[in-house]
Amino acid sequence: MASNPAYVPFTFLLAAALIALLGIGWAQRKKRLGRGVLILSPLAAAFLLLYFWHIPFHDAARSVLAPSRSYSCELDGDGSRTPEPFTIPLPKRTVFKGKTNACSPFYRTYATNDRRAREVKIIDLSHRIQDGMPPYPGDTETTLVHSKVYERDFYNNHQLTINMHAGTHIDGPMHLLDRKEYLSEIPLETFIGEGVVIDVSGGMKEIAYKEEYEERIKNNQIVLLYTGFGSRFGQPGYFSDHPVLTMEFAQLIVKKQIKMIGLDMPSPDRDPFEIHKCLFENRILIAENLTNLDQLLHVPAFEVIALPLSIRADSSIARIIARI
């Protein structure tokens, strides 16, 4: 099927040109130029015929020769063209090549495997778990022991003793509410989402509401607060001198119905933990003891992936990353 009916007369002109070129090439076959014409003319003609008459080849060729960042398609249910185009939703940062004829399965495979579409940067927002990692006051110590050694046991193994609030972790509502909802029962979609980072550094004691946050924070986001306090992780005063959120700020993120708030400090508040309870009552998770948030300050868009263990517990240690 032709990509365009206007290509029909062009095909006859192409055939006439090919016959003429073959005649010239045959007449000059003893010369290098003549032999080149005899070889290249059929190849060029085959390419043009496929380009104008074979839709998948046409789409694939245009995806290389005429790159575009848009993806539209005019394809009917039976595979024929239709004047009513449809569009296919694409993920952010996907670079599709091709223009209006990008409809073939081959084209879609080619486009989604485009090298530029796969270029992402990962930023680790988690502290490394290691032996002696400082626990929250009153919690058990973290121990990581090399329990089996290859030279002695012919294999390696490690044994970890850790509570669920050590290092980078996620607090679930069961932590401070009388609920029997373990973290493993919360839908996985809650732990992945569009991220936004807010710079609240500067040594302030309270993180208060600002009108500008009304625009910065969107529904269903994962909100990260960069205080700069994370640089003191493992140092004296880390668990006692950190800033706290005001209730007005907490009510803002409740109103925005965010999925999770992430902090580069050990807690959003102190005893009696009213901020914790306010967020938990509205099903907002809390990720604590993050790091490297400064690397996101000037990033316009990123995704947060904050996966806890699949564990029957109130909270969980977690590996949290940002994907840019």
Side-chain angles (χ1 to χ4, degrees):
M1 177 181 176
S3 298
N4 190 322
Y7 297 153
V8 175
F10 181 82
T11 303
F12 287 104
L13 291 175
L14 176 64
L18 176 61
I19 293 171
L21 285 172
L22 289 175
I24 294 172
W26 182 257
Q28 302 292 326
R29 63 185 182 278
K30 293 184 178 180
K31 297 181 180 180
R32 180 178 297 179
L33 179 61
R35 292 194 297 271
V37 170
L38 285 174
I39 294 171
L40 295 178
S41 295
L43 294 176
F47 174 85
L48 291 173
L49 285 172
L50 285 171
Y51 183 81
F52 291 120
W53 285 88
H54 190 262
I55 290 175
F57 185 88
H58 178 91
D59 295 339
R62 289 194 67 168
S63 71
V64 176
L65 300 175
S68 171
R69 292 181 180 270
S70 63
Y71 180 64
S72 60
C73 184
E74 297 178 359
L75 188 66
D76 210 336
D78 60 358
S80 60
R81 302 289 178 180
T82 174
E84 298 180 2
F86 68 87
T87 57
I88 298 175
L90 305 176
K92 291 181 179 179
R93 299 182 299 278
T94 299
V95 180
F96 270 72
K97 293 181 177 180
K99 291 190 176 179
T100 57
N101 293 332
C103 299
S104 71
F106 176 84
Y107 172 82
R108 293 174 189 168
T109 301
Y110 174 85
T112 54
N113 284 304
D114 177 46
R115 177 182 61 82
R116 291 173 294 174
R118 300 196 307 270
E119 287 182 351
V120 295
K121 181 179 179 181
I122 303 296
I123 296 178
D124 194 350
L125 307 181
S126 313
H127 286 285
R128 181 184 294 113
I129 296 174
Q130 56 191 13
D131 185 55
M133 185 172 65
Y136 193 84
D139 288 342
T140 56
E141 297 285 337
T142 298
T143 61
L144 179 60
V145 180
H146 195 170
S147 56
K148 297 295 180 180
V149 182
Y150 185 84
E151 289 79 3
R152 182 189 67 215
D153 305 299
F154 303 105
Y155 70 99
N156 284 300
N157 198 1
H158 288 75
Q159 180 172 305
L160 175 66
T161 302
I162 191 170
N163 76 81
M164 293 297 103
H165 298 270
T168 302
H169 65 278
I170 299 172
D171 286 355
M174 187 179 174
H175 179 41
L176 288 173
L177 299 180
D178 186 16
R179 293 183 181 176
K180 298 298 182 184
E181 182 182 24
Y182 297 104
L183 205 63
S184 58
E185 297 171 349
I186 295 175
L188 282 173
E189 292 80 5
T190 309
F191 302 95
I192 302 173
E194 177 187 358
V196 60
V197 63
I198 298 177
D199 188 351
V200 291
S201 60
M204 61 187 72
K205 295 296 183 180
E206 288 188 336
I207 300 171
Y209 167 88
K210 290 184 180 180
E211 188 174 352
E212 65 187 74
Y213 298 157
E214 295 278 359
E215 292 296 324
R216 291 286 309 280
I217 300 173
K218 310 296 183 184
N219 286 16
N220 289 318
Q221 284 185 323
I222 295 178
V223 177
L224 307 178
L225 299 184
Y226 170 66
T227 68
F229 201 79
S231 62
R232 297 178 59 180
F233 182 77
Q235 299 178 13
Y238 176 75
F239 292 108
S240 59
D241 300 338
H242 60 84
V244 296
L245 275 60
T246 64
M247 184 57 71
E248 191 178 11
F249 183 92
Q251 290 170 347
L252 167 65
I253 59 178
V254 166
K255 181 180 71 172
K256 292 291 186 176
Q257 297 179 320
I258 69 169
K259 294 181 175 182
M260 182 187 304
I261 185 167
L263 315 164
D264 60 347
M265 56 184 187
S267 176
D269 57 0
R270 298 186 181 88
D271 193 20
F273 303 109
E274 295 301 327
I275 301 298
H276 264 88
K277 295 172 184 177
C278 172
L279 300 181
F280 290 157
E281 286 168 353
N282 291 277
R283 303 192 62 78
I284 295 175
L285 304 178
I286 305 173
E288 298 170 338
N289 299 327
L290 301 182
T291 187
N292 295 327
L293 294 185
D294 57 308
Q295 297 184 34
L296 297 172
L297 289 177
H298 304 293
V299 177
F302 60 91
E303 180 182 37
V304 176
I305 302 173
L307 295 181
L309 301 176
S310 180
I311 189 169
R312 190 175 170 84
D314 66 286
S315 305
S316 173
I317 53 176
R319 186 68 179 270
I320 302 178
I321 64 172
R323 181 167 63 178
I324 300 174

